[in-house]
Amino acid sequence: MNQSAAVLYTDANFYSPYAMSVFVTLTEKGIPFTIKPVDLSQGENQGQDYGSLSLTRRVPTLVINDFQLSESSAIDEYLEEIHPANPVYPHDVKQRAKAREIQAWLRSDLLALRAERSTEVIFKAGKFAPLSAAAEQAAKKLIAAAESLLSHGQDHLFGTWSIADTDLALMLNRLVMHGDDVPEALCHYAQKQWLRPSVQAWLKLPEKMRG
């Protein structure tokens, strides 16, 4: 693979948790890449040019030479396979499957929570109305699952860091950073994950790109 040819298409505001997941994976693996923001508010992702790159016309999309791939968990897994150095998934096959389960769940469930605590909470210090009954139920489901997954008391889901830690921390931070009620242990976990250098590099992107 000619790593210098890797291009990551992200949303222009850098609010996408899924683009962030891929950015973190690329950064953790030390794969050289460039970023091309796509203005979703202007419908750039629905245009013919972007449609020729992305089957789903969503972000993120990763382009490496003549290969294009969308959907963040698929990209994370692909990068793990082609660049196994600096792994972002657990080595143990069962733990790796659990990491993928967590990623799939966070992307397909908790819809009311995601709607009422958008990532503007995280990336723009957004403030919103109290959670609806449906979102409150989703928050309780998230907290119960996170407490079960982290019941071992360690700093990471699987002993050492994995990309599932970043994805779970982001979902928890929708509540933590908004000031919603979250158990202290989960607040500590989410806050600690947020200090990881690859995550901090994403948080600095808007400032750099605007310059």
Side-chain angles (χ1 to χ4, degrees), residues 111-144:
L111 300 182
L113 175 58
R114 285 190 277 151
E116 296 181 29
R117 293 293 180 268
S118 77
T119 54
E120 285 192 24
V121 168
I122 298 170
F123 303 125
K124 199 180 177 181
K127 291 296 181 183
F128 300 96
L131 295 172
S132 67
E136 185 68 36
Q137 184 177 17
K140 289 179 179 178
K141 182 178 181 180
L142 170 64
I143 288 168

mmCIF file of all heavy atoms in Angstrom, residues 111-144:
data_model
loop_
_atom_site.group_PDB
_atom_site.id
_atom_site.type_symbol
_atom_site.label_atom_id
_atom_site.label_comp_id
_atom_site.label_asym_id
_atom_site.label_seq_id
_atom_site.Cartn_x
_atom_site.Cartn_y
_atom_site.Cartn_z
ATOM 1 N N LEU A 111 -30.954 5.734 19.430
ATOM 2 C CA LEU A 111 -31.258 6.805 18.474
ATOM 3 C C LEU A 111 -31.762 8.071 19.162
ATOM 4 O O LEU A 111 -31.377 9.184 18.787
ATOM 5 C CB LEU A 111 -32.275 6.310 17.449
ATOM 6 C CG LEU A 111 -31.862 5.106 16.606
ATOM 7 C CD1 LEU A 111 -32.963 4.759 15.607
ATOM 8 C CD2 LEU A 111 -30.546 5.355 15.890
ATOM 9 N N ALA A 112 -32.630 7.911 20.156
ATOM 10 C CA ALA A 112 -33.181 9.093 20.831
ATOM 11 C C ALA A 112 -32.084 9.856 21.559
ATOM 12 O O ALA A 112 -32.055 11.097 21.551
ATOM 13 C CB ALA A 112 -34.280 8.676 21.804
ATOM 14 N N LEU A 113 -31.164 9.139 22.175
ATOM 15 C CA LEU A 113 -30.054 9.787 22.868
ATOM 16 C C LEU A 113 -29.163 10.527 21.876
ATOM 17 O O LEU A 113 -28.762 11.672 22.117
ATOM 18 C CB LEU A 113 -29.241 8.741 23.635
ATOM 19 C CG LEU A 113 -27.967 9.246 24.318
ATOM 20 C CD1 LEU A 113 -28.278 10.357 25.305
ATOM 21 C CD2 LEU A 113 -27.244 8.093 25.000
ATOM 22 N N ARG A 114 -28.871 9.890 20.750
ATOM 23 C CA ARG A 114 -28.025 10.540 19.741
ATOM 24 C C ARG A 114 -28.698 11.784 19.176
ATOM 25 O O ARG A 114 -28.032 12.774 18.859
ATOM 26 C CB ARG A 114 -27.693 9.553 18.620
ATOM 27 C CG ARG A 114 -26.652 8.519 19.024
ATOM 28 C CD ARG A 114 -26.171 7.735 17.831
ATOM 29 N NE ARG A 114 -27.048 6.634 17.495
ATOM 30 C CZ ARG A 114 -27.212 6.148 16.270
ATOM 31 N NH1 ARG A 114 -26.584 6.692 15.244
ATOM 32 N NH2 ARG A 114 -27.998 5.115 16.058
ATOM 33 N N ALA A 115 -30.025 11.738 19.045
ATOM 34 C CA ALA A 115 -30.754 12.889 18.504
ATOM 35 C C ALA A 115 -30.781 14.054 19.488
ATOM 36 O O ALA A 115 -30.623 15.215 19.094
ATOM 37 C CB ALA A 115 -32.177 12.474 18.134
ATOM 38 N N GLU A 116 -30.967 13.752 20.772
ATOM 39 C CA GLU A 116 -31.132 14.815 21.769
ATOM 40 C C GLU A 116 -29.822 15.261 22.410
ATOM 41 O O GLU A 116 -29.777 16.306 23.073
ATOM 42 C CB GLU A 116 -32.110 14.336 22.845
ATOM 43 C CG GLU A 116 -33.511 14.102 22.288
ATOM 44 C CD GLU A 116 -34.510 13.660 23.328
ATOM 45 O OE1 GLU A 116 -34.348 14.037 24.515
ATOM 46 O OE2 GLU A 116 -35.465 12.932 22.971
ATOM 47 N N ARG A 117 -28.781 14.484 22.218
ATOM 48 C CA ARG A 117 -27.448 14.869 22.675
ATOM 49 C C ARG A 117 -26.493 14.691 21.495
ATOM 50 O O ARG A 117 -25.654 13.793 21.471
ATOM 51 C CB ARG A 117 -26.992 14.024 23.876
ATOM 52 C CG ARG A 117 -27.783 14.261 25.140
ATOM 53 C CD ARG A 117 -27.561 15.661 25.693
ATOM 54 N NE ARG A 117 -28.331 15.888 26.927
ATOM 55 C CZ ARG A 117 -29.548 16.405 26.971
ATOM 56 N NH1 ARG A 117 -30.162 16.756 25.841
ATOM 57 N NH2 ARG A 117 -30.161 16.580 28.117
ATOM 58 N N SER A 118 -26.656 15.554 20.506
ATOM 59 C CA SER A 118 -25.816 15.470 19.316
ATOM 60 C C SER A 118 -24.365 15.739 19.693
ATOM 61 O O SER A 118 -24.058 16.207 20.793
ATOM 62 C CB SER A 118 -26.279 16.486 18.270
ATOM 63 O OG SER A 118 -25.850 17.789 18.612
ATOM 64 N N THR A 119 -23.463 15.493 18.769
ATOM 65 C CA THR A 119 -22.048 15.708 19.067
ATOM 66 C C THR A 119 -21.698 17.193 19.157
ATOM 67 O O THR A 119 -20.562 17.529 19.489
ATOM 68 C CB THR A 119 -21.157 15.030 18.020
ATOM 69 O OG1 THR A 119 -21.537 15.458 16.716
ATOM 70 C CG2 THR A 119 -21.249 13.515 18.126
ATOM 71 N N GLU A 120 -22.650 18.067 18.914
ATOM 72 C CA GLU A 120 -22.411 19.482 19.210
ATOM 73 C C GLU A 120 -22.144 19.671 20.708
ATOM 74 O O GLU A 120 -21.464 20.620 21.108
ATOM 75 C CB GLU A 120 -23.603 20.333 18.772
ATOM 76 C CG GLU A 120 -23.685 20.543 17.270
ATOM 77 C CD GLU A 120 -24.700 21.609 16.893
ATOM 78 O OE1 GLU A 120 -24.994 22.472 17.750
ATOM 79 O OE2 GLU A 120 -25.194 21.565 15.759
ATOM 80 N N VAL A 121 -22.692 18.783 21.530
ATOM 81 C CA VAL A 121 -22.392 18.814 22.965
ATOM 82 C C VAL A 121 -20.888 18.693 23.183
ATOM 83 O O VAL A 121 -20.287 19.397 24.001
ATOM 84 C CB VAL A 121 -23.124 17.658 23.679
ATOM 85 C CG1 VAL A 121 -22.602 17.496 25.109
ATOM 86 C CG2 VAL A 121 -24.626 17.888 23.693
ATOM 87 N N ILE A 122 -20.263 17.801 22.429
ATOM 88 C CA ILE A 122 -18.853 17.471 22.617
ATOM 89 C C ILE A 122 -17.944 18.466 21.912
ATOM 90 O O ILE A 122 -16.946 18.919 22.479
ATOM 91 C CB ILE A 122 -18.583 16.044 22.110
ATOM 92 C CG1 ILE A 122 -19.399 15.032 22.918
ATOM 93 C CG2 ILE A 122 -17.093 15.713 22.159
ATOM 94 C CD1 ILE A 122 -19.397 13.631 22.347
ATOM 95 N N PHE A 123 -18.287 18.796 20.682
ATOM 96 C CA PHE A 123 -17.374 19.578 19.860
ATOM 97 C C PHE A 123 -17.687 21.069 19.816
ATOM 98 O O PHE A 123 -16.900 21.850 19.291
ATOM 99 C CB PHE A 123 -17.353 19.007 18.432
ATOM 100 C CG PHE A 123 -16.964 17.555 18.378
ATOM 101 C CD1 PHE A 123 -17.785 16.628 17.764
ATOM 102 C CD2 PHE A 123 -15.781 17.117 18.939
ATOM 103 C CE1 PHE A 123 -17.428 15.287 17.709
ATOM 104 C CE2 PHE A 123 -15.409 15.778 18.899
ATOM 105 C CZ PHE A 123 -16.240 14.864 18.280
ATOM 106 N N LYS A 124 -18.855 21.458 20.363
ATOM 107 C CA LYS A 124 -19.234 22.868 20.326
ATOM 108 C C LYS A 124 -19.849 23.335 21.645
ATOM 109 O O LYS A 124 -20.415 24.423 21.709
ATOM 110 C CB LYS A 124 -20.218 23.114 19.170
ATOM 111 C CG LYS A 124 -20.340 24.573 18.747
ATOM 112 C CD LYS A 124 -21.341 24.703 17.605
ATOM 113 C CE LYS A 124 -21.529 26.164 17.207
ATOM 114 N NZ LYS A 124 -22.524 26.315 16.115
ATOM 115 N N ALA A 125 -19.739 22.503 22.673
ATOM 116 C CA ALA A 125 -20.296 22.823 23.991
ATOM 117 C C ALA A 125 -21.783 23.163 23.905
ATOM 118 O O ALA A 125 -22.281 24.047 24.606
ATOM 119 C CB ALA A 125 -19.531 23.967 24.649
ATOM 120 N N GLY A 126 -22.492 22.451 23.039
ATOM 121 C CA GLY A 126 -23.918 22.698 22.864
ATOM 122 C C GLY A 126 -24.723 22.331 24.098
ATOM 123 O O GLY A 126 -24.368 21.412 24.847
ATOM 124 N N LYS A 127 -25.812 23.066 24.326
ATOM 125 C CA LYS A 127 -26.716 22.791 25.442
ATOM 126 C C LYS A 127 -28.119 22.582 24.902
ATOM 127 O O LYS A 127 -28.589 23.348 24.048
ATOM 128 C CB LYS A 127 -26.705 23.943 26.451
ATOM 129 C CG LYS A 127 -25.387 24.068 27.210
ATOM 130 C CD LYS A 127 -25.125 22.839 28.071
ATOM 131 C CE LYS A 127 -23.832 22.965 28.849
ATOM 132 N NZ LYS A 127 -23.531 21.746 29.648
ATOM 133 N N PHE A 128 -28.790 21.568 25.433
ATOM 134 C CA PHE A 128 -30.094 21.189 24.914
ATOM 135 C C PHE A 128 -31.080 20.957 26.049
ATOM 136 O O PHE A 128 -30.710 20.985 27.228
ATOM 137 C CB PHE A 128 -29.959 19.937 24.048
ATOM 138 C CG PHE A 128 -29.045 20.122 22.866
ATOM 139 C CD1 PHE A 128 -27.713 19.745 22.923
ATOM 140 C CD2 PHE A 128 -29.504 20.711 21.697
ATOM 141 C CE1 PHE A 128 -26.854 19.928 21.842
ATOM 142 C CE2 PHE A 128 -28.664 20.902 20.608
ATOM 143 C CZ PHE A 128 -27.334 20.512 20.686
ATOM 144 N N ALA A 129 -32.324 20.730 25.684
ATOM 145 C CA ALA A 129 -33.382 20.522 26.658
ATOM 146 C C ALA A 129 -33.157 19.222 27.431
ATOM 147 O O ALA A 129 -32.391 18.358 26.992
ATOM 148 C CB ALA A 129 -34.734 20.477 25.937
ATOM 149 N N PRO A 130 -33.813 19.072 28.579
ATOM 150 C CA PRO A 130 -33.722 17.798 29.308
ATOM 151 C C PRO A 130 -34.134 16.625 28.423
ATOM 152 O O PRO A 130 -34.923 16.782 27.486
ATOM 153 C CB PRO A 130 -34.705 17.991 30.467
ATOM 154 C CG PRO A 130 -34.746 19.473 30.677
ATOM 155 C CD PRO A 130 -34.624 20.075 29.304
ATOM 156 N N LEU A 131 -33.605 15.459 28.717
ATOM 157 C CA LEU A 131 -33.888 14.278 27.916
ATOM 158 C C LEU A 131 -35.370 13.913 27.972
ATOM 159 O O LEU A 131 -36.007 13.992 29.012
ATOM 160 C CB LEU A 131 -33.057 13.096 28.415
ATOM 161 C CG LEU A 131 -31.536 13.204 28.257
ATOM 162 C CD1 LEU A 131 -30.866 12.036 28.971
ATOM 163 C CD2 LEU A 131 -31.144 13.244 26.788
ATOM 164 N N SER A 132 -35.878 13.492 26.834
ATOM 165 C CA SER A 132 -37.229 12.948 26.782
ATOM 166 C C SER A 132 -37.237 11.573 27.443
ATOM 167 O O SER A 132 -36.183 11.019 27.776
ATOM 168 C CB SER A 132 -37.685 12.816 25.333
ATOM 169 O OG SER A 132 -36.902 11.827 24.665
ATOM 170 N N ALA A 133 -38.427 11.025 27.602
ATOM 171 C CA ALA A 133 -38.533 9.696 28.213
ATOM 172 C C ALA A 133 -37.774 8.658 27.385
ATOM 173 O O ALA A 133 -37.087 7.786 27.934
ATOM 174 C CB ALA A 133 -40.002 9.307 28.353
ATOM 175 N N ALA A 134 -37.879 8.763 26.063
ATOM 176 C CA ALA A 134 -37.196 7.798 25.197
ATOM 177 C C ALA A 134 -35.684 7.939 25.295
ATOM 178 O O ALA A 134 -34.957 6.939 25.349
ATOM 179 C CB ALA A 134 -37.655 7.987 23.746
ATOM 180 N N ALA A 135 -35.202 9.175 25.316
ATOM 181 C CA ALA A 135 -33.760 9.402 25.426
ATOM 182 C C ALA A 135 -33.248 9.010 26.802
ATOM 183 O O ALA A 135 -32.126 8.496 26.942
ATOM 184 C CB ALA A 135 -33.430 10.854 25.125
ATOM 185 N N GLU A 136 -34.046 9.250 27.829
ATOM 186 C CA GLU A 136 -33.672 8.848 29.188
ATOM 187 C C GLU A 136 -33.535 7.325 29.272
ATOM 188 O O GLU A 136 -32.602 6.804 29.897
ATOM 189 C CB GLU A 136 -34.708 9.336 30.185
ATOM 190 C CG GLU A 136 -34.366 9.067 31.640
ATOM 191 C CD GLU A 136 -33.187 9.881 32.137
ATOM 192 O OE1 GLU A 136 -33.032 11.043 31.725
ATOM 193 O OE2 GLU A 136 -32.410 9.337 32.953
ATOM 194 N N GLN A 137 -34.451 6.642 28.622
ATOM 195 C CA GLN A 137 -34.380 5.178 28.598
ATOM 196 C C GLN A 137 -33.114 4.713 27.877
ATOM 197 O O GLN A 137 -32.434 3.774 28.314
ATOM 198 C CB GLN A 137 -35.617 4.602 27.909
ATOM 199 C CG GLN A 137 -35.676 3.080 27.917
ATOM 200 C CD GLN A 137 -36.959 2.551 27.285
ATOM 201 O OE1 GLN A 137 -37.659 3.271 26.578
ATOM 202 N NE2 GLN A 137 -37.274 1.299 27.553
ATOM 203 N N ALA A 138 -32.792 5.384 26.763
ATOM 204 C CA ALA A 138 -31.581 5.036 26.022
ATOM 205 C C ALA A 138 -30.337 5.308 26.865
ATOM 206 O O ALA A 138 -29.374 4.528 26.848
ATOM 207 C CB ALA A 138 -31.526 5.825 24.715
ATOM 208 N N ALA A 139 -30.343 6.420 27.607
ATOM 209 C CA ALA A 139 -29.204 6.746 28.462
ATOM 210 C C ALA A 139 -29.021 5.682 29.540
ATOM 211 O O ALA A 139 -27.883 5.270 29.830
ATOM 212 C CB ALA A 139 -29.408 8.120 29.092
ATOM 213 N N LYS A 140 -30.107 5.235 30.126
ATOM 214 C CA LYS A 140 -30.024 4.186 31.147
ATOM 215 C C LYS A 140 -29.476 2.893 30.551
ATOM 216 O O LYS A 140 -28.683 2.181 31.187
ATOM 217 C CB LYS A 140 -31.403 3.953 31.772
ATOM 218 C CG LYS A 140 -31.870 5.092 32.660
ATOM 219 C CD LYS A 140 -33.256 4.813 33.238
ATOM 220 C CE LYS A 140 -33.712 5.953 34.139
ATOM 221 N NZ LYS A 140 -35.085 5.722 34.675
ATOM 222 N N LYS A 141 -29.888 2.597 29.329
ATOM 223 C CA LYS A 141 -29.395 1.396 28.643
ATOM 224 C C LYS A 141 -27.892 1.507 28.396
ATOM 225 O O LYS A 141 -27.135 0.543 28.613
ATOM 226 C CB LYS A 141 -30.150 1.226 27.326
ATOM 227 C CG LYS A 141 -29.781 -0.012 26.528
ATOM 228 C CD LYS A 141 -30.638 -0.102 25.273
ATOM 229 C CE LYS A 141 -30.313 -1.331 24.456
ATOM 230 N NZ LYS A 141 -31.155 -1.421 23.224
ATOM 231 N N LEU A 142 -27.454 2.678 27.941
ATOM 232 C CA LEU A 142 -26.031 2.912 27.696
ATOM 233 C C LEU A 142 -25.226 2.765 28.988
ATOM 234 O O LEU A 142 -24.180 2.095 29.014
ATOM 235 C CB LEU A 142 -25.827 4.310 27.113
ATOM 236 C CG LEU A 142 -24.387 4.811 27.023
ATOM 237 C CD1 LEU A 142 -23.573 3.955 26.061
ATOM 238 C CD2 LEU A 142 -24.364 6.285 26.600
ATOM 239 N N ILE A 143 -25.700 3.395 30.047
ATOM 240 C CA ILE A 143 -24.980 3.362 31.313
ATOM 241 C C ILE A 143 -24.909 1.941 31.864
ATOM 242 O O ILE A 143 -23.848 1.493 32.336
ATOM 243 C CB ILE A 143 -25.641 4.322 32.315
ATOM 244 C CG1 ILE A 143 -25.365 5.770 31.902
ATOM 245 C CG2 ILE A 143 -25.157 4.066 33.739
ATOM 246 C CD1 ILE A 143 -26.187 6.796 32.646
ATOM 247 N N ALA A 144 -25.997 1.212 31.778
ATOM 248 C CA ALA A 144 -26.000 -0.172 32.277
ATOM 249 C C ALA A 144 -25.011 -1.030 31.493
ATOM 250 O O ALA A 144 -24.271 -1.841 32.078
ATOM 251 C CB ALA A 144 -27.411 -0.753 32.182
#
